[in-house]
Amino acid sequence: MHDSPSRPHDMSPDEFRRHGYAAIDRIADYLAHPEGWPVLPRVQPGDLRRQLPGSAPEQGEAMEALLRDYDELILPHTTHWNHPGFMAYFSITGSGPGILGELLAAGLNINAMLWRTGPAATELEETTLDWLRQLMGLPAGLDGTINDTASSSTLYALAAARELQADLKIREAGLAGRPDVPRLRVYCSEEAHSSVDKAVLTLGLGLTGIRHIPTDDEHALDVLALEAALAEDRAAGIRPLAVVATVGTTSTTSVDPVAAIADICTREGIWLHVDASYAGAVALLPEMRSVLDGCDRADSLVVNPHKWLLTPVDCSVLYTRRPDLLKRAFSLVPEYLTTSDPDDVRNLMDYGVSLGRRFRALKLWFVLRWYGAEGLREVLRHHLRLARFFADQVADDPQFELLAPVRFSVVLFRFRPAAIASEEELERLNAEVLKRLNASGQVFLSHTKVRGRYALRLAIGNARTDRHHVEDAWRLAREAAQSVT
Ligand code: PLP
């Protein structure tokens, strides 16, 4: 029941204020002690579902009841990405200023499809992305837009890449039923993220439309193998469309040789997209800026502030030198969306599949301003130091080994007692170590495979993770290892 029947179509301002303060108090209390929860909830699939009614209430409920259920049902069934022991996948973090930016954007509830439907959202997006570009040392003239995820950003980049092959007239005639269109192909390393494969699928190129290039000893794309693949495909009548290089691959955080790949793309007349979703942020550090060497020549680059730049999910930035081609791929203006605004105003609906655009720039603006470049650099350096510290512990213990160089904030390692040489046995053992480690509720690590070898994967990326959390993770890993032998 509404407790303010005089304004039945929304909460009254007083009610909103009261419940809003209560919600903010909850967030503040939660963020003060996320480690009060186990990182991974001790629940089974379906547990929450069974506790929820099968249909929506006919009569409105009191906000108190909703907040109580948030406390009693939602929090206990949540995987706590805010927990300082969350060290799985790419550990991420929101932040106070980012959360407040998100809250204020929700209050405005604008839909920035056109400049006129969201002048502040449109122009703030242009401004914050230009600030971020400068902070990352990327060249002037790159045009940025914010998408939900890196998967969308890469999909859009590859759609623009397809438009670069203007003679194919794909915008006009599509691909289906056209004997005049050769097979088209995108190239990336075997370590590239599966979002590249998904983009290729979505663009209608099929699974044969992607070729995974072998990697070298450092898990980086092998340039000679790329050249050979391109030559072989051209000889077979296949038309290359784009190469996707990765700066900071998901599994091992390897860095592809972007400058050499840029040479090849220039020679071939094809698009170079760089996936720097995770590691691009580290270019804010002058001493790490070389990770983006060659990226000044990329046609497009994606970096996710929601991964390692303290911005709440979701916020993925796509930069491109060719906004004209991005628009060629996606711009379509029905009569009801035409305006008399000048031609050079940006209408965000022109840069991707979605018509509507959230005001994501507000939270990024808050983050960039509240931390300042120095504050962000401090967090990044802290994370790099923590990963290095953990790697040093692993390297010093004869029963463990590192499985890849530690370039950024991720450590790949495994338990390797001298008596065990079989890869199958080591995999079984380490999978059990991971299971016991994660059952502690104090940490959550994930795993991967490095050249077929099962690796435990520790990723630092949370604003609340400190040295003692990493010490705990190492102690727990050793205890779990002793308990399985
Ligand atoms: N690219 C890389 C290198 C990633 O590691 C990931 C996810 O971790 C992605 C792309 C996909 O990210 P998103 O969830 O933003 O689509």
Side-chain angles (χ1 to χ4, degrees):
M1 288 284 278
H2 288 290
D3 48 18
S4 178
S6 60
R7 303 202 53 178
H9 292 173
D10 196 1
M11 263 180 191
S12 71
D14 282 348
E15 253 186 304
F16 181 79
R17 204 181 307 279
R18 186 158 53 85
H19 298 309
Y21 289 150
I24 292 284
D25 281 345
R26 264 181 180 69
I27 299 173
D29 290 346
Y30 168 68
L31 291 180
H33 298 291
E35 64 272 42
W37 296 95
V39 195
L40 278 174
R42 299 195 171 101
V43 295
Q44 296 303 317
D47 277 358
L48 175 62
R49 195 86 199 263
R50 275 190 290 278
Q51 296 180 58
L52 297 173
S55 52
E58 194 58 39
Q59 303 297 321
E61 298 182 59
M63 198 63 206
E64 285 79 1
L66 274 62
L67 290 174
R68 194 173 53 245
D69 283 353
Y70 172 82
D71 290 342
E72 292 175 6
L73 295 176
I74 303 304
L75 283 174
H77 289 87
T78 293
T79 296
H80 292 282
W81 289 70
N82 282 301
H83 194 298
F86 189 111
M87 298 172 184
Y89 311 111
F90 280 126
S91 163
I92 58 171
T93 191
S95 59
I99 295 167
L100 293 176
E102 190 77 298
L103 178 67
L104 292 169
L108 291 176
N109 197 34
I110 60 116
N111 186 339
M113 51 196 187
L114 298 166
W115 173 84
R116 66 164 47 190
T117 67
T122 306
E123 295 184 19
L124 196 66
E125 186 161 316
E126 290 174 313
T127 301
T128 51
L129 297 193
D130 198 54
W131 288 5
L132 181 62
R133 176 194 64 72
Q134 294 171 45
L135 290 174
M136 293 173 66
L138 291 167
L142 278 182
D143 187 89
T145 41
I146 302 183
N147 298 305
D148 53 354
T149 58
S151 303
S152 298
S153 294
T154 292
L155 170 66
Y156 298 169
L158 292 180
R162 208 165 58 168
E163 290 305 313
L164 184 62
Q165 309 294 317
D167 61 305
L168 298 177
K169 299 203 178 324
I170 289 172
R171 179 182 166 99
E172 293 78 11
L175 284 173
R178 289 184 63 189
D180 58 317
V181 175
R183 279 164 66 201
L184 307 172
R185 199 164 260 177
V186 170
Y187 303 78
C188 62
S189 95
E190 58 196 3
E191 294 286 328
H193 190 263
S194 55
S195 53
V196 184
D197 304 59
K198 267 201 191 179
V200 166
L201 280 179
T202 308
L203 291 170
L205 307 184
L207 284 175
T208 56
I210 187 163
R211 186 157 174 178
H212 297 102
I213 306 297
T215 50
D216 62 19
D217 293 345
E218 299 269 290
H219 309 288
L221 183 142
D222 179 338
V223 173
L224 292 178
L226 173 64
E227 281 180 320
L230 286 163
E232 185 182 82
D233 284 358
R234 287 231 190 251
I238 295 170
R239 169 89 69 101
L241 279 187
V243 179
V244 179
T246 310
V247 172
T249 56
T250 313
S251 190
T252 67
T253 72
S254 58
V255 176
D256 289 339
V258 178
I261 297 171
D263 288 341
I264 295 171
C265 289
T266 306
R267 209 164 59 227
E268 295 277 338
I270 60 175
W271 189 280
L272 170 58
H273 175 61
V274 176
D275 179 353
S277 318
Y278 155 66
V282 89
L284 264 73
L285 302 177
E287 67 273 23
M288 296 292 284
R289 187 153 289 169
S290 61
V291 300
L292 293 187
D293 279 354
C295 291
D296 53 330
R297 293 165 60 205
D299 296 286
S300 56
L301 177 143
V302 53
V303 58
N304 278 7
H306 76 221
K307 273 196 168 58
W308 204 5
L309 269 185
L310 298 126
T311 308
V313 171
D314 52 5
C315 185
S316 172
V317 175
L318 176 64
Y319 286 112
T320 181
R321 287 197 285 153
R322 299 298 308 267
D324 56 320
L325 290 179
L326 193 56
K327 283 176 74 170
R328 214 185 119 67
F330 291 109
S331 180
L332 198 68
V333 186
E335 179 56 33
Y336 45 83
L337 290 171
T338 55
T339 72
S340 53
D341 295 328
D343 283 349
D344 60 348
V345 322
R346 175 188 296 267
N347 293 318
L348 289 171
M349 67 172 189
D350 290 337
Y351 296 83
V353 171
S354 313
L355 169 69
R357 293 277 181 154
R358 302 208 302 117
F359 192 173
R360 296 190 182 93
L362 193 62
K363 59 187 170 183
L364 182 57
W365 191 49
F366 275 26
V367 167
L368 295 178
R369 290 185 62 187
W370 189 86
Y371 282 93
E374 266 316 310
L376 293 170
R377 290 188 192 113
E378 231 168 76
V379 176
L380 292 164
R381 286 196 183 106
H382 179 60
H383 289 165
L384 296 176
R385 275 196 303 272
L386 291 179
R388 173 49 54 202
F389 167 73
F390 186 87
D392 287 346
Q393 310 306 305
V394 175
D396 285 347
D397 189 321
Q399 290 214 299
F400 282 81
E401 69 177 346
L402 291 170
L403 288 179
V406 180
R407 291 184 193 82
F408 306 112
S409 64
V410 172
V411 184
L412 299 186
F413 68 106
R414 68 174 172 177
F415 178 45
R416 195 172 196 282
I420 301 175
S422 135
E423 280 302 326
E424 291 82 54
E425 183 58 11
L426 284 170
E427 174 164 346
R428 195 197 58 73
L429 209 59
N430 278 280
E432 188 56 32
V433 169
L434 185 62
K435 200 167 136 197
R436 294 188 188 189
L437 192 58
N438 289 343
S440 72
Q442 293 180 59
V443 287
F444 176 28
L445 273 65
S446 51
H447 79 279
T448 186
K449 282 203 175 167
V450 184
R451 302 256 182 261
R453 291 181 298 174
Y454 187 95
L456 304 174
R457 192 173 169 292
L458 174 134
I460 308 286
N462 191 293
R464 285 170 185 77
T465 303
D466 236 319
R467 166 97 167 220
H468 68 94
H469 300 110
V470 179
E471 286 168 349
D472 286 347
W474 174 235
R475 178 180 50 76
L476 289 163
R478 279 192 329 197
E479 285 172 9
Q482 294 321 317
S483 75
V484 299
T485 43

